[in-house]
Amino acid sequence: MKIMALLTLTFAVQFTAMGQTQYQSGEDQIGLLELYTSEGCNSCPPADRWLSSMTEDDAIWSQFIPVAFHVDYWDYIGWKDRFASAEYSQRQRAHAGTLGMRTVYTPGFFYNGQEWRNWFIRKLASFPKGGKPGVLSLTVEDAAAQVVFAANEKTLRAPTVSVALLGFGLSTRVKAGENHGKTLKHDFVVLGVSEAQLTSSNDGYQGNIQLPSTDVDAPRLGIVAWVSERGQPTPLQAVGGWFDDS
């Protein structure tokens, strides 16, 4: 493997060796685009479809990574979203609290921790350009992963890593609520998230983490990891790729 050559790239790379799969960013920030959505909200399907349109975009994984967090605060109006979690609702509230927002709503987007309302324009070029936070590597073997963040900023406050499994090609026939009678299709769905604290090392920051488990049988899977400072939802760097093509 030409590992040294791979390390010089400025975009995400993926390679497999000896039963391991490694995902690696460059120094440039890979943006994390977070959609907060719900099958119980009739305003969400257009945003879900727009996110799904990105599956064949050459820029995903290398420049930005979309993720869809399904929230549970609309479950009460008649339809329980099977992908929803109170944890994801709380993450959206944490973003809102950090930004001084008075409320949360769906569909709601955040890009690298900032509220992003331009999704209706459907132009990816409107994403703001990030900095050079450093190289993030995720090495997966079986149900565990090792994370190394060679951060350019050496004084991070208790950095943590989050790893999420993403489901693609999913669909639900909605039988109640605002989307009654519709078949909703989903991609980039967050199926589970694990979190672990990183410790300082000669290579920057590193740690081990168990992959999240899921009982959802998705036709295709992806994986994404992002690093943030403890107690802050804003991602510093992200990396990911297809999880079942290696």
Side-chain angles (χ1 to χ4, degrees):
M1 300 296 293
K2 298 180 180 179
I3 297 178
M4 294 305 296
L6 288 167
L7 290 174
T8 65
L9 297 178
T10 59
F11 49 86
V13 294
Q14 175 182 345
F15 59 91
T16 302
M18 298 178 64
Q20 296 179 339
T21 302
Q22 184 173 32
Y23 307 84
Q24 188 175 81
S25 74
E27 288 194 347
D28 292 344
Q29 186 178 35
I30 296 178
L32 189 68
L33 176 65
E34 303 175 44
L35 166 63
Y36 290 86
T37 184
S38 171
E39 290 185 338
C41 167
N42 62 8
S43 299
C44 289
D48 293 333
R49 288 193 294 269
W50 181 64
L51 213 69
S52 291
S53 73
M54 299 178 186
T55 55
E56 302 300 326
D57 195 298
D58 291 339
I60 66 165
W61 312 123
S62 61
Q63 296 179 31
F64 68 95
I65 301 174
V67 296
F69 287 101
H70 284 236
V71 298
D72 69 342
Y73 52 78
W74 292 126
D75 286 1
Y76 79 95
I77 60 176
W79 178 253
K80 182 174 175 58
D81 189 332
R82 65 187 175 120
F83 305 119
S85 168
E87 177 185 353
Y88 307 156
S89 300
Q90 182 54 41
R91 178 173 174 83
Q92 186 184 20
R93 294 187 183 102
H95 274 305
T98 299
L99 299 174
M101 297 168 55
R102 293 185 177 182
T103 187
V104 293
Y105 57 90
T106 56
F109 283 91
F110 293 88
Y111 187 74
N112 287 340
Q114 297 298 309
E115 187 181 19
W116 192 77
R117 295 191 174 189
N118 293 337
W119 76 270
F120 55 88
I121 301 175
R122 316 296 205 272
K123 292 183 179 180
L124 300 185
S126 63
F127 287 155
K129 184 176 178 56
K132 294 181 178 292
V135 177
L136 177 60
S137 300
L138 174 72
T139 302
V140 178
E141 185 173 10
D142 298 326
Q146 181 183 44
V147 177
V148 177
F149 183 35
N152 290 332
E153 172 59 59
K154 302 304 182 183
T155 58
L156 297 180
R157 184 184 63 194
T160 62
V161 62
S162 300
V163 176
L165 288 180
L166 306 180
F168 294 80
L170 297 164
S171 65
T172 301
R173 179 68 174 175
V174 179
K175 299 178 181 179
E178 291 187 348
N179 289 311
H180 178 263
K182 296 180 180 179
T183 297
L184 304 181
K185 297 182 179 181
H186 308 294
D187 296 289
F188 299 102
V189 177
V190 176
L191 302 179
V193 181
S194 295
E195 186 176 291
Q197 186 168 336
L198 300 180
T199 58
S200 181
S201 70
N202 292 334
D203 297 322
Y205 298 92
Q206 67 177 23
N208 298 310
I209 188 169
Q210 290 294 117
L211 300 187
S213 61
T214 178
D215 58 3
V216 175
D217 185 15
R220 197 177 192 187
L221 291 173
I223 191 169
V224 58
W226 64 90
V227 173
S228 54
E229 292 186 293
R230 185 173 62 188
Q232 297 296 320
T234 302
L236 303 175
Q237 180 62 296
V239 71
W242 299 112
F243 190 51
D244 51 1
D245 288 354
S246 57

